[in-house]
Amino acid sequence: MGKSFRAWQGRLPDTKRELIEFSSSLDLDRRFFLQDSCLNSVYAEELSLIGLISKEDFEVIKSGIKELVKAYLNNNVEFSNQDEDIHMAIERLLSEKIGETAFKMHAGKSRNDQVITDFKMFLRIEILNILTKLNNFFDSFLEISQRYEDVIMPAYTHTQQAQPIIFSHWVFAHLYSLFECVKKLIEVYESCRMLPLGSAAIAGSAFNLDRFRLAKKLGFEAPTFNSIETISSRDFALDFLYALATISIKLSCLAQDLITFSTSEYGFINLPDEFCTGSSIMPQKKNPDFLELIRGRSSIVIGNLISLLTLMKGLSIGYHRDLQEDKTVVFSSLDIVSSILVLLPEFISKINLNVEKIKQSLNQGLLATDIADYLAKNGVPFREAHSRVGSLVRLAEEKGVKIFELDFEDVRKILKDIDFNSYRNFDFVSSVNARNIYGGTSKSSVKCQRDQFIEIKKDFVSFIEIQKKKESYIYIQAIDANPFDL
């Protein structure tokens, strides 16, 4: 391993070794290896096009970077604890291959604009990876919704049984909720398509770089507008953390539902054994650890968002070393969400419903709203109808029976505007199908939700495929490597 060097060693040759190790971000930003290599290759070409380095030097640099990337992918790159960050590490490693020509590629750029460019390129790849994992989860949830599409279950408000719904309606509540997060991630992806490179340390590069040309070659739409704002801003990282926090909250909600429904008191769902653990003392236990950890780790993802918000709020505009800590929280949240989404599709696909237990759980009180609706449709003001049905429910509770077990004479005294046959015809199937409104829980409405979800998912999958091809092309052209193969 060659000797590490410091970018500022001419001015401060005596910086303590321990300080370098303390301030090093290499353990974090080594994840940017492919992005920084790609950037350096494209940037070196730009330097040759504006006449700052020769075409021969560029070819040497590009060839050296490709060799370095190949070694990295084969785990043959050795980093040093004196490499302050990935940028200095790559310069050192490249210089060991091609000599001092490697140092020419840094002209006119700063690690300040370099790291933000790397970061945005990295997030574009990771967003597409997350979207792919979410799509796999959607597929597994769609399958289970079709497997149990005729099952009627109670919906809950205030954790109390409220109204009957089709199981698939509950599924699509979670699917559409998570699809809102897809929209957020795509917005973040688009926000990562403004090129920071060329902003240099803070005032912009002194070299006549064509930032629009650089943007095109690195997969950006256009350069950023102001060099100071570019170097200062971590809005894209905050937006990404917010999207991940939102996903975590949605997944925590799903986990809580599944935990509740799998308890012996409910017994609606049987969780797959391979995603559960036992007790060290109680032999009978089957613990929903995977779901509990989804719920628990969501707090870390939320906390990471708060951490970066707190870090940013005290900084004046410009660059500060505090900003190095943005990667700590982003990578933490990314790893948590990614690890959940890797396992979740298989978990969902192996869930089984206890259909008979769900059927037995349906309380006749779930039909109270249907009775009130019937009266309203027959001319009774709804508030009056609500009051009458409420009195009926209270009478049933006092007598210790279900509402449809009451003597019909007692029913008629309270409800007044109802006949025996109409009263006995209320059931869970008719209740569900009465909600035949767009977005409702009737069988036809839920089918519409499914068809609509499948259609919008097609556009979403198309977006992923198109963008992956574009991103891959950038890296293959520059460094002969595809980031999606890792």
Side-chain angles (χ1 to χ4, degrees):
M1 179 178 64
K3 182 181 179 182
S4 299
F5 66 94
R6 301 166 190 170
W8 62 87
Q9 60 192 13
R11 171 66 177 84
L12 298 169
D14 299 322
T15 301
K16 286 179 68 65
R17 179 187 183 92
E18 293 79 7
L19 177 60
I20 300 298
E21 293 176 0
F22 172 77
S23 62
S24 173
S25 62
L26 185 61
D27 284 343
L28 287 168
D29 59 27
R30 68 171 62 188
R31 294 197 193 201
F32 294 163
F33 192 97
L34 293 187
Q35 285 72 37
D36 206 61
S37 298
C38 184
L39 180 154
N40 279 318
S41 179
V42 169
Y43 188 78
E45 182 180 24
E46 177 65 21
L47 292 181
S48 73
L49 289 173
I50 64 173
L52 193 65
I53 65 174
S54 68
K55 186 176 180 180
E56 291 74 22
D57 281 344
F58 159 63
E59 294 295 344
V60 169
I61 291 170
K62 184 174 183 177
S63 177
I65 289 174
K66 286 182 178 181
E67 288 182 30
L68 193 56
V69 168
K70 186 176 181 180
Y72 172 78
L73 295 175
N74 290 324
N75 295 314
N76 289 328
V77 167
E78 188 175 358
F79 295 102
S80 165
N81 59 9
Q82 288 294 293
D83 289 328
E84 190 185 6
D85 51 40
I86 189 62
H87 320 295
M88 302 312 298
I90 286 178
E91 278 201 42
R92 175 185 63 79
L93 291 164
L94 187 60
S95 70
E96 291 171 4
K97 284 186 175 294
I98 66 172
E100 292 192 358
T101 302
F103 302 137
K104 294 184 178 182
M105 68 182 182
H106 195 68
K109 66 178 165 71
S110 163
R111 288 178 298 171
N112 292 0
D113 62 343
Q114 196 170 342
V115 70
I116 307 173
T117 305
D118 286 351
F119 207 165
K120 286 186 173 183
M121 292 175 68
F122 173 82
L123 287 187
R124 294 206 311 258
I125 300 300
E126 292 305 320
I127 287 169
L128 294 175
N129 285 334
I130 292 173
L131 291 175
T132 301
K133 293 181 178 75
L134 277 170
N135 184 55
N136 294 336
F137 164 71
F138 293 157
D139 285 340
S140 64
F141 224 1
L142 280 169
E143 189 278 326
I144 199 173
S145 76
Q146 291 176 309
R147 197 192 318 162
Y148 297 107
E149 62 181 350
D150 294 324
V151 174
I152 295 176
M153 66 178 285
Y156 295 82
T157 63
H158 307 278
T159 67
Q160 306 297 313
Q161 286 198 6
Q163 290 180 279
I165 59 168
I166 295 177
F167 171 73
S168 296
H169 195 50
W170 172 84
V171 170
F172 283 105
H174 285 289
L175 282 174
Y176 277 102
S177 178
L178 273 163
F179 199 80
E180 290 300 310
C181 301
V182 167
K183 296 178 188 177
K184 290 182 175 65
L185 281 171
I186 291 175
E187 288 174 3
V188 180
Y189 181 88
E190 296 299 335
S191 76
C192 288
R193 299 181 73 181
M194 294 294 286
L195 176 74
L197 194 61
S199 298
I202 195 165
S205 178
F207 297 96
N208 191 29
L209 304 170
D210 187 333
R211 295 188 69 207
F212 288 90
R213 183 164 56 199
L214 282 169
K216 183 177 180 180
K217 289 180 179 178
L218 290 170
F220 292 85
E221 290 288 338
T224 53
F225 298 110
N226 180 279
S227 61
I228 302 176
E229 188 277 335
T230 299
I231 298 307
S232 306
S233 176
R234 291 300 183 274
D235 288 359
F236 66 95
L238 286 168
D239 291 341
F240 182 63
L241 283 176
Y242 176 72
L244 294 187
T246 306
I247 291 172
S248 295
I249 291 170
K250 308 289 189 183
L251 293 178
S252 180
C253 175
L254 172 62
Q256 180 58 56
D257 274 2
L258 294 174
I259 289 169
T260 300
F261 292 155
S262 68
T263 60
S264 56
E265 287 75 13
Y266 280 77
F268 291 1
I269 290 177
N270 296 316
L271 301 178
D273 287 356
E274 54 266 54
F275 284 90
C276 298
T277 65
S279 165
S280 62
I281 188 172
M282 296 170 284
Q284 83 283 6
K285 291 298 295 298
K286 178 180 173 180
N287 299 327
D289 286 41
F290 176 55
L291 295 174
E292 290 174 336
L293 289 170
I294 291 174
R295 188 179 60 189
R297 290 179 184 173
S298 66
S299 64
I300 301 174
V301 179
I302 295 166
N304 286 336
L305 170 61
I306 300 302
S307 292
L308 188 54
L309 284 167
T310 305
L311 183 147
M312 296 300 298
K313 67 93 184 171
L315 302 181
S316 58
I317 199 164
Y319 181 79
H320 307 272
R321 195 62 180 269
D322 314 49
L323 294 171
Q324 176 177 300
E325 301 306 316
D326 56 0
K327 293 176 284 297
T328 303
V329 290
V330 168
F331 294 163
S332 168
S333 292
L334 173 62
D335 290 346
I336 289 171
V337 172
S338 294
S339 64
I340 291 169
L341 291 176
V342 165
L343 294 172
L344 199 56
E346 182 184 357
F347 173 83
I348 291 294
S349 69
K350 292 183 176 179
I351 284 174
N352 289 308
L353 296 193
N354 188 338
V355 177
E356 190 58 34
K357 190 70 179 286
I358 294 173
K359 186 176 180 180
Q360 293 171 5
S361 77
L362 295 168
N363 189 301
Q364 289 183 2
L366 289 163
L367 300 174
T369 304
D370 295 85
I371 301 171
D373 288 344
Y374 171 87
L375 295 175
K377 289 174 183 177
N378 285 274
V380 179
F382 184 77
R383 285 297 163 218
E384 174 62 23
H386 186 288
S387 180
R388 290 183 193 179
V389 178
S391 297
L392 186 74
V393 172
R394 186 174 69 250
L395 177 63
E397 288 178 347
E398 290 171 354
K399 290 181 175 289
V401 298
K402 298 175 181 178
I403 59 174
F404 292 104
E405 294 174 349
L406 287 167
D407 186 278
F408 186 68
E409 287 303 314
D410 290 333
V411 173
R412 188 162 56 185
K413 287 178 184 177
I414 295 173
L415 299 185
K416 301 175 184 178
D417 300 275
I418 197 167
D419 59 75
F420 180 81
N421 289 332
S422 297
Y423 188 67
R424 294 303 180 191
N425 281 337
F426 289 106
D427 61 35
F428 299 116
V429 173
S430 60
S431 173
V432 164
N433 287 327
R435 272 88 189 149
N436 192 29
I437 190 172
Y438 186 84
T441 192
S442 73
K443 192 168 183 178
S444 61
S445 294
V446 173
K447 182 181 182 302
C448 178
Q449 292 170 45
R450 178 184 291 112
D451 293 343
Q452 184 179 37
F453 190 84
I454 290 171
E455 283 303 309
I456 62 176
K457 199 171 83 70
K458 288 179 182 176
D459 293 337
F460 156 58
V461 171
S462 176
F463 172 84
I464 296 172
E465 292 174 350
I466 290 170
Q467 299 308 320
K468 277 189 172 182
K469 287 179 181 178
K470 289 181 179 179
E471 296 289 349
S472 299
Y473 180 80
I474 295 162
Y475 290 83
I476 291 169
Q477 288 293 108
I479 57 174
D480 287 342
N482 187 341
F484 298 108
D485 290 341
L486 296 180

